[in-house]
Amino acid sequence: MVGVWAVMAGAVGAVVGAAQWPSFCCDLACASGYGVDLWTCTMQGELMRERLRRTLCATLLLGATVTGCGSGGDSKVGTPAVSVGTTAAPTASATPDPQAAQKAAVLKAYRQMTTAQAAAYRTASEKEADLQRYATLEALGKIRLDLARMKEAGMVVRGEVGHDPKVTSLDLNAQTPKATLSDCIDLSKYQTYDLRAKKVIPLPTAQPLRYVATAKAERWSGRWMVTDIDTQGGSAC
């Protein structure tokens, strides 16, 4: 009979509240005619307090970190927990290239020369191409030889030649600063056109569409000039 009483009284105690449990327990027991002593009521009250305390802790844990929710001691609601993540160490910035400005100037001069070269090849003439502004005598001589052969054969260039130049070496301490370039030539949009036959001449089957060409440049009177070009073709790129 005591077991049935404990179940019924426990349910009622959850409604009445743990603080009123001992007196309510004894009053209800006497009114019901059950012989329940004060010690039993007191123990049931302590059990109910523990249940309510755990329920409160579980509820508070949904929104904040609660301290003091162990099996002993009074419940203490702490401040919400703050997650302190590990701050990633800032990545070291790349060391600036002290030669970056000069490399950019070399590339600019080379691109200007190739633009003027392409304009000359479209008409097989250096007129109005202003090649002398960007190329010195040796490089200019090779371009002029190409133009002479193209004019004799009645050929011009259609489309365009792709370029992807990079400065591979730079010597600013030399009496005349020097630079070497590597350029990936792209012939995928290049065409040789026969003006007399009025047709496109296909590239040789053995000709790679992308290959490495090289060039040299020097700084004369504060400006970079292309001094030599080798477009015969190196490795594929």
Side-chain angles (χ1 to χ4, degrees), residues 4-147:
V4 175
W5 160 250
V7 173
M8 181 180 70
V12 175
V15 177
V16 174
Q20 301 176 354
W21 169 255
S23 59
F24 180 83
C25 169
C26 294
D27 293 344
L28 180 61
C30 292
S32 302
Y34 293 107
V36 180
D37 56 24
L38 181 60
W39 181 87
T40 302
C41 289
T42 301
M43 294 305 294
Q44 291 288 350
E46 291 298 328
L47 177 61
M48 185 53 58
R49 287 191 186 94
E50 177 67 14
R51 289 177 180 175
L52 290 176
R53 186 186 61 76
R54 292 183 180 180
T55 302
L56 177 61
C57 289
T59 302
L60 292 176
L61 279 171
L62 294 176
T65 298
V66 180
T67 59
C69 288
S71 58
D74 296 335
S75 301
K76 296 181 181 180
V77 180
T79 57
V82 178
S83 176
V84 180
T86 302
T87 303
T91 56
S93 58
T95 303
D97 184 354
Q99 298 180 333
Q102 291 300 318
K103 287 181 179 178
V106 171
L107 291 173
K108 181 180 179 180
Y110 178 76
R111 290 191 178 101
Q112 289 174 329
M113 190 277 298
T114 56
T115 299
Q117 181 185 16
Y121 283 17
R122 279 194 286 269
T123 60
S125 172
E126 66 174 290
K127 291 179 181 180
E128 300 181 3
D130 204 13
L131 283 165
Q132 298 182 43
R133 181 177 177 81
Y134 312 110
T136 62
L137 188 58
E138 185 174 355
L140 189 57
K142 292 183 177 181
I143 295 173
R144 285 173 173 168
L145 180 60
D146 282 346
L147 292 173

